[in-house]
Amino acid sequence: MTVIRCGEDSIVADMGIRLDRVLIHEDTDISKLSHEELAQRGIIPALNGDYGKVRAIVLTHGHLDHIGAVPLLAGKFPEAPIIGTPYTIELVRRELRGRAQNPLYVLEAGEVLQLMPDLSIEFVRITHSIPDTVFLVVHTREGSVAYLNDFKLDDNPVIGTKPDYRRIRELGKEGLKALIIETTRVSNDGRTPSEQVARTLLEDTLLKSSGEKGLIVTTFSSHIARLKSVVDIATKLDREPVLLGRSMEKYVGIAERKGIVDLPENTHIYGSKNAIKKVLRRVAKEKHRYLLIVTGHQGEPDALLTRIANQKMEYRIEEGDEVLFSADIIPNPINVAQRYAVETKLKLQGARLFKGLHVSGHASKEDHYDLLKMLQPEKVIPTHGSLEMQASYAELAESLGYSINREVFLLRNGQRVSV
Ligand SMILES: [Zn+2]
């Protein structure tokens, strides 16, 4: 969570939970832990600063590390509207279940909302790994601040349109007081490949699969573009796509209702335990007719792929069944160990594993270089990464003429900088 303040007025940008601080995954309900427990463990922001008058809570996309704390914290600023793009607001509405009474407000990419006579916010279209991602520009009487958490520069995103480069360049020309920017993959050389590349990787692998055996793909349930690719390939293979898991039902269901994706009629989506049991019993009898798309790419204990690997489900892995991982391991020791366990169990049961069928949703070093050149902010605040990642960004900025502590600021949680 970031606060951008001008005089007495402030804007809250994103309100997330920290996923690596808790054994959590897309199927976990964090509402079962108390607010104090969560803040104490550093899972949600501890609100202990003077934020002035919060005029809006602005959400840039629907990932849990950006919206997950809204049900717990939005109520602390009861008059502030929660503002996001249509997909993000639908996800928030579902998370809230009436727990905070803040008004919800939909703002589309490309739109500007005047909040006060000299305070407005603007959404600019950008690409990431969940639909309807934007970046935020706060226009104040002291100048404008851009907030880019998270993004990649994808000119072929499979779903949606490429970034609004015209507006990005324009913002650079108008002059930006400051840029607040993510740093997740700034240490990776080159550019992040387009989502189209992941689609091709999946297609190459899946189209070579055996016509007889079981086929299972696991990927992020919020990655609608990726899921769309897998469903399209299933159709080419003459298999019916079956999406399983509570989070699959949530993210895909909302995407369909919002008109973001249109999946073929023979696509099955099941979230409840009983429905999943029933359909797996059917699929297991005729594996060649279906392509399963399931949760569990990190080896999360309750996720479906893990339960299949543990032989707890109606579907048993047999010699030659193929399991595709369309996700990298999010590198923390728990994930690494859990994923290792799942992979080993699957292999022992005879599965053929295909890994790395994935591209990242985050910008690499040269994407950051291009963006910084286009936006030309006066000051830069690298965020959303370890100190190491933020420092990598600072080095990149140095190469473009910025100086640390003069124009680039490395901040820790709870710290602020005045520009
Ligand atoms: Zn994200």
Side-chain angles (χ1 to χ4, degrees), residues 61 63 65-66 128-130 149-151 362 384:
H61 65 285
H63 281 152
D65 56 337
H66 293 254
H128 185 36
S129 47
I130 186 167
N149 264 329
D150 304 327
F151 80 103
H362 296 274
H384 209 330

Side-chain angles (χ1 to χ4, degrees), residues 81-313:
I82 299 169
I83 302 170
T85 52
Y87 188 61
T88 309
I89 287 294
E90 275 320 297
L91 288 170
V92 168
R93 198 189 305 280
R94 205 186 136 120
E95 295 288 320
L96 276 176
R97 287 180 228 119
R99 270 182 290 170
Q101 301 304 319
N102 306 55
L104 299 179
Y105 188 95
V106 170
L107 192 67
E108 301 267 3
E111 289 184 341
V112 177
L113 178 68
Q114 197 78 39
L115 291 165
M116 314 260 302
D118 51 9
L119 181 69
S120 64
I121 58 169
E122 174 182 357
F123 274 175
V124 182
R125 192 177 67 241
I126 198 83
T127 43
H128 185 36
S129 47
I130 186 167
D132 240 0
T133 300
V134 289
F135 74 84
L136 163 69
V137 187
V138 181
H139 299 283
T140 77
R141 60 178 179 274
E142 300 287 343
S144 302
V145 176
Y147 168 90
L148 264 127
N149 264 329
D150 304 327
F151 80 103
K152 72 187 279 190
L153 298 177
D154 193 337
D155 291 356
N156 291 289
V158 176
I159 278 183
T161 342
K162 64 183 181 184
D164 188 350
Y165 294 115
R166 191 193 56 80
R167 183 61 189 140
I168 293 171
R169 289 205 177 85
E170 215 170 64
L171 283 164
K173 290 205 182 92
E174 287 169 14
L176 271 183
K177 195 92 188 160
L179 168 67
I180 300 161
I181 189 160
E182 68 133 308
T183 56
T184 312
R185 286 179 73 86
V186 68
S187 304
N188 289 64
D189 287 332
R191 293 194 173 96
T192 302
S194 155
E195 181 58 24
Q196 186 63 46
V197 172
R199 187 182 172 97
T200 304
L201 286 172
L202 280 163
E203 204 162 45
D204 275 355
T205 307
L206 280 167
L207 293 184
K208 284 191 191 122
S209 64
S210 141
E212 311 291 308
K213 303 290 183 177
L215 263 190
I216 302 178
V217 176
T218 181
T219 191
F220 301 90
S221 47
S222 57
H223 202 326
I224 306 299
R226 188 71 52 81
L227 292 169
K228 164 98 169 89
S229 293
V230 179
V231 166
D232 287 347
I233 300 164
T235 309
K236 280 193 190 170
L237 287 168
D238 212 13
R239 290 180 183 241
E240 292 180 27
V242 183
L243 287 79
L244 299 178
R246 204 145 47 93
S247 56
M248 288 283 178
E249 194 181 43
K250 171 173 90 173
Y251 290 108
V252 177
I254 293 176
E256 283 198 298
R257 284 199 293 284
K258 288 277 131 194
I260 288 164
V261 70
D262 188 18
L263 300 177
E265 287 218 339
N266 66 354
T267 311
H268 312 268
I269 309 174
Y270 298 101
S272 83
K273 280 212 162 92
N274 281 339
I276 292 174
K277 262 188 183 169
K278 237 165 97 182
V279 74
L280 279 181
R281 215 171 285 141
R282 200 166 76 223
V283 171
K285 282 187 200 134
E286 296 182 286
K287 285 184 176 179
H288 65 280
R289 284 190 53 201
Y290 301 96
L291 190 156
L292 289 179
I293 307 167
V294 301
T295 54
H297 50 86
Q298 300 299 315
E300 306 92 323
D302 299 333
L304 208 65
L305 186 63
T306 313
R307 302 210 308 267
I308 290 173
N310 288 337
Q311 301 182 302
K312 294 266 158 60
M313 299 307 292

Side-chain angles (χ1 to χ4, degrees), residues 54-65:
V54 173
R55 299 295 181 182
I57 297 163
V58 186
L59 308 171
T60 58
H61 65 285
H63 281 152
L64 284 175
D65 56 337

Side-chain angles (χ1 to χ4, degrees), residues 354-401:
F354 301 86
K355 299 194 279 183
L357 307 167
H358 177 66
V359 301
S360 170
H362 296 274
S364 298
K365 186 180 284 167
E366 299 306 328
D367 301 307
H368 278 288
Y369 181 102
D370 288 342
L371 192 89
L372 195 54
K373 277 251 183 192
M374 284 188 267
L375 284 176
Q376 306 170 55
E378 284 174 36
K379 315 279 182 194
V380 188
I381 302 152
T383 57
H384 209 330
S386 64
L387 196 51
E388 218 177 337
M389 296 170 189
Q390 293 178 30
S392 284
Y393 190 96
E395 259 181 353
L396 171 75
E398 269 186 331
S399 75
L400 286 170

